[in-house]
Amino acid sequence: MKHKDGKYHSQPEKPFKIVPATLLVIVLCGFSFYLGGIFCSEKSRLEGKSVQDVSKTVSSPKEPAVDPLKIKSVAFPECSADFQDYTPCTDPRRWRKYGSHRLTFLERHCPPMLERKQCLVPPPDGYKPPIRWPKSRDECWYRNVPYNWINKQKSNQNWLRKQGEKFLFPGGGTMFPRGVGAYVDLMQDLIPEMRDGTVRTAIDTGCGVASWGGDLLDRGILTVSLAPRDNHEAQVQFALERGIPAILGVISTQRLPFPSNSFDMAHCSRCLIPWTEFGGIYLLEVHRILRPGGFWVLSGPPVNYENRWRGWNTTVEEQKSDYEKLEGLLTSMCFKMYAKKDDIAVWQKSSDSSCYNKLAEPDVYPAKCDDSLEPDSAWYTPLRPCVVVPKPELKKSALESLPKWPERLQVAPERISNVPGGSSSALKHDDSKWKVRAKHYKKLLPALGTNEIRNVMDMNTVYGGFAAAVIDDPLWTMNVVSSYAANTLPVVYDRGLIGTYHDWCEAFSTYPRTYDLLHLDGLFTAESHRCDMKYVLLEMDRILRPKGYALIRESSYFIDAIASIAKGLKWSCRREDTEYGVAKEKLLVCQKKLWYSASSSSR
């Protein structure tokens, strides 16, 4: 080859040792950039944005750090009329998919994502705004809960009576022949702690139409009435229509959604739960949720078998055997007989650690639960045939050690130390904050504090601060703690309030149209990474009564998106400032419209 100097130079004998290696590096680098470009463009496509789009959304330093979430408004169709009492996770249409052993089919079985309904649940034909408290305790509109099965089946027991356009609730029950008032009077004679504020929280298993829980409200005792979903009886729906706290549930194969050592009293009035079967596993669950020193009250078989056995389709020998078996089982769980008269027997859960220490001995049944089982784990947690032993270090959580109601509402419970960041000062600060917020809410929503709002849910509480701030109003509050959040529900119960665990990615355990006010504080900020906001709002619409309210406290990022979805729910909403008027947080005050199905004659 001739170069510029005019001389010829020969080629090297083995040029491939240098030149191809250089070319290979260049080619490999180019190929890697090519593959990287493909990956990045594909990733951008999957995220719904191109690289150019992302560059356009980057805000300048003068703009807010996070742009508001934008969602186009959507109109949801109406569900068919046969969905008027739709309970997604306890739907009778799906029961045949699950076993009947220990009534497993009555437990929560939520539909998979592809089967979720995206429609608005209609009210029954002729639905009216519920009768207001306290009149609602004694009567409700028949068309709001149009199920006459209980009236026909229990007519001789005075559970309820249909009269004209209304159901009347005389206060009767299977074991209340002289009315629920006389029944509770006798119970208070047996348990004086029901009169002086010692007993504050109770659970009624197999609650019927919740007359027992309704009567206790005037006596300062707040009851969670519990019954399973039923094809005909609609017991929980009747309870909530009356303005009495209630929730769908059944003791079957999984724990109830409550912490350990929570209720001051548990009650069963011929609730048809086979307490001594399956090794007493149902009683073990009652033991778990009942606090040390708490009372378990049973009326009905086999109590008073000597006088009652003829009406129970059995023999006196069989009933005697059942009663002795029940007594033995309760004793083995560290219960002791407290009082007994006529049809009512009362046992008390022991606070004495010496009894529980014996459960660790070999060949004892039921045995002490091992430490691998968290006592407060109660969301889809299987029942186990063992005793959840109260922690010895918790000296002030036993019933006799708690301040009496209403003082206990203001005292920081011992178990607050188990919450990250929990302390007496944290509770005091939380209560002060919610007093200011509740005062502001009442300015924005004048119905709050009147008998227009009775059934209230705080959808993601911490310590029950909102419920405490409105405790003197004519309402009750179901405090919901997320199954994914810090476990603060024991603190709620120790304060004398009620609540439940729940995962808002699923439907709540209640009937449609059962709450007057839904309050949430930062729920979407906390859980939008797990739940589609649309489904949470659809569930809120299902459980909210027509003309009921939603009070939504959220970051400014979510507010406009929530308002867009709410419009498709037929809600009217207005945006308001918080009590401090900060830009990063806003309030939506919404009201659900009363509408009727297209096929309804009420249109």
Side-chain angles (χ1 to χ4, degrees), residues 71-273:
I71 292 180
K72 293 181 180 179
S73 59
V74 57
F76 295 99
E78 298 174 7
C79 300
S80 59
D82 61 336
F83 277 82
Q84 67 183 32
D85 62 352
Y86 180 49
T87 55
C89 295
T90 50
D91 187 0
R93 297 173 180 85
R94 305 179 72 243
W95 284 353
R96 64 181 182 276
K97 296 182 179 181
Y98 309 104
S100 59
H101 176 66
R102 285 170 53 183
L103 302 180
T104 305
F105 66 96
L106 291 176
E107 293 186 302
R108 286 178 61 88
H109 302 285
C110 299
M113 180 65 71
L114 293 177
E115 293 180 24
R116 285 191 175 186
K117 299 296 178 185
Q118 297 188 47
C119 54
L120 306 182
V121 176
D125 190 10
Y127 179 89
K128 300 179 183 180
I131 295 168
R132 294 184 180 179
W133 182 265
K135 199 174 180 181
S136 64
R137 178 164 42 193
D138 301 320
E139 59 185 47
C140 76
W141 298 115
Y142 166 72
R143 295 308 312 172
N144 289 11
V145 194
Y147 306 110
N148 206 27
W149 186 87
I150 296 182
N151 180 41
K152 293 177 180 178
Q153 200 73 11
K154 303 287 185 179
S155 58
N156 64 323
Q157 295 170 12
N158 273 327
W159 281 29
L160 73 166
R161 183 173 69 253
K162 188 174 182 295
Q163 184 174 302
E165 294 185 340
K166 294 179 179 178
F167 275 128
L168 306 183
F169 300 92
T174 309
M175 303 306 300
F176 313 155
R178 295 187 294 121
V180 68
Y183 175 82
V184 177
D185 286 343
L186 174 58
M187 194 177 295
Q188 285 188 329
D189 291 340
L190 299 177
I191 312 172
E193 291 86 347
M194 291 176 65
R195 297 182 184 271
D196 65 1
T198 301
V199 173
R200 165 61 182 172
T201 59
I203 183 168
D204 188 14
T205 56
C207 65
V209 293
S211 293
W212 186 75
D215 182 88
L216 288 175
L217 288 169
D218 282 343
R219 305 176 194 241
I221 298 175
L222 194 57
T223 304
V224 176
S225 294
L226 182 80
R229 170 66 201 258
D230 190 277
N231 248 336
H232 306 288
E233 295 185 35
Q235 299 170 76
V236 165
Q237 194 170 21
F238 275 116
L240 288 160
E241 186 70 18
R242 299 175 68 186
I244 301 170
I247 192 170
L248 285 168
V250 61
I251 308 178
S252 177
T253 67
Q254 297 171 355
R255 284 179 170 180
L256 296 174
F258 311 114
S260 63
N261 308 324
S262 294
F263 292 97
D264 305 332
M265 181 165 60
H267 172 254
C268 163
S269 172
R270 202 172 188 184
C271 57
L272 304 182
I273 297 174

Side-chain angles (χ1 to χ4, degrees), residues 389-456:
V389 174
K391 294 181 179 178
E393 62 269 22
L394 296 177
K395 305 293 186 183
K396 298 179 181 179
S397 296
L399 185 60
E400 60 269 20
S401 302
L402 287 174
K404 295 180 180 180
W405 181 262
E407 289 79 14
R408 77 191 256 191
L409 180 66
Q410 308 302 333
V411 177
E414 183 180 32
R415 289 195 280 184
I416 198 170
S417 61
N418 296 334
V419 179
S423 65
S424 177
S425 58
L427 181 68
K428 187 175 181 180
H429 172 74
D430 191 69
D431 276 356
S432 298
K433 174 183 72 178
W434 281 107
K435 285 177 183 177
V436 174
R437 289 182 173 185
K439 186 177 180 180
H440 183 63
Y441 290 171
K442 288 179 180 180
K443 291 179 182 177
L444 301 178
L445 186 58
L448 181 58
T450 73
N451 64 359
E452 186 178 337
I453 291 177
R454 172 63 184 169
N455 301 352
V456 176

Side-chain angles (χ1 to χ4, degrees), residues 200-407:
R200 165 61 182 172
T201 59
I203 183 168
D204 188 14
T205 56
C207 65
V209 293
S211 293
W212 186 75
D215 182 88
L216 288 175
L217 288 169
D218 282 343
R219 305 176 194 241
I221 298 175
L222 194 57
T223 304
V224 176
S225 294
L226 182 80
R229 170 66 201 258
D230 190 277
N231 248 336
H232 306 288
E233 295 185 35
Q235 299 170 76
V236 165
Q237 194 170 21
F238 275 116
L240 288 160
E241 186 70 18
R242 299 175 68 186
I244 301 170
I247 192 170
L248 285 168
V250 61
I251 308 178
S252 177
T253 67
Q254 297 171 355
R255 284 179 170 180
L256 296 174
F258 311 114
S260 63
N261 308 324
S262 294
F263 292 97
D264 305 332
M265 181 165 60
H267 172 254
C268 163
S269 172
R270 202 172 188 184
C271 57
L272 304 182
I273 297 174
W275 295 113
T276 58
E277 292 184 19
F278 309 109
I281 200 164
Y282 304 137
L283 265 178
L284 286 166
E285 177 62 357
V286 170
H287 183 281
R288 183 187 72 86
I289 63 176
L290 195 63
R291 72 173 65 252
F295 301 98
W296 186 60
V297 183
L298 176 66
S299 64
V303 176
N304 198 16
Y305 67 87
E306 302 94 332
N307 302 308
R308 290 283 192 175
W309 66 270
R310 290 179 182 84
W312 295 340
N313 298 319
T314 182
T315 66
V316 66
E317 291 79 15
E318 287 175 335
Q319 285 300 304
K320 181 181 179 182
S321 174
D322 287 347
Y323 185 76
E324 290 172 349
K325 188 186 298 183
L326 179 66
E327 276 192 315
L329 195 58
L330 286 163
T331 301
S332 70
M333 295 179 188
C334 298
F335 280 101
K336 60 182 179 181
M337 173 60 74
Y338 186 79
K340 182 182 175 185
K341 187 175 181 180
D342 298 336
D343 294 326
I344 301 176
V346 182
W347 286 267
Q348 186 175 32
K349 178 178 173 178
S350 178
S351 302
D352 184 4
S353 59
S354 62
C355 176
Y356 296 108
N357 291 337
K358 296 177 182 178
L359 301 180
E361 297 176 3
D363 301 324
V364 171
Y365 185 87
K368 172 185 175 182
C369 289
D370 59 58
D371 293 336
S372 65
L373 185 64
E374 167 56 47
D376 293 341
S377 176
W379 189 246
Y380 294 121
T381 302
L383 294 180
R384 284 179 56 186
C386 57
V387 178
V388 174
V389 174
K391 294 181 179 178
E393 62 269 22
L394 296 177
K395 305 293 186 183
K396 298 179 181 179
S397 296
L399 185 60
E400 60 269 20
S401 302
L402 287 174
K404 295 180 180 180
W405 181 262
E407 289 79 14

Side-chain angles (χ1 to χ4, degrees), residues 552-569:
I552 301 171
R553 188 184 189 99
E554 265 299 346
S555 67
S556 300
Y557 177 77
F558 286 107
I559 283 292
D560 289 340
I562 295 170
S564 295
I565 299 173
K567 186 177 181 181
L569 300 173

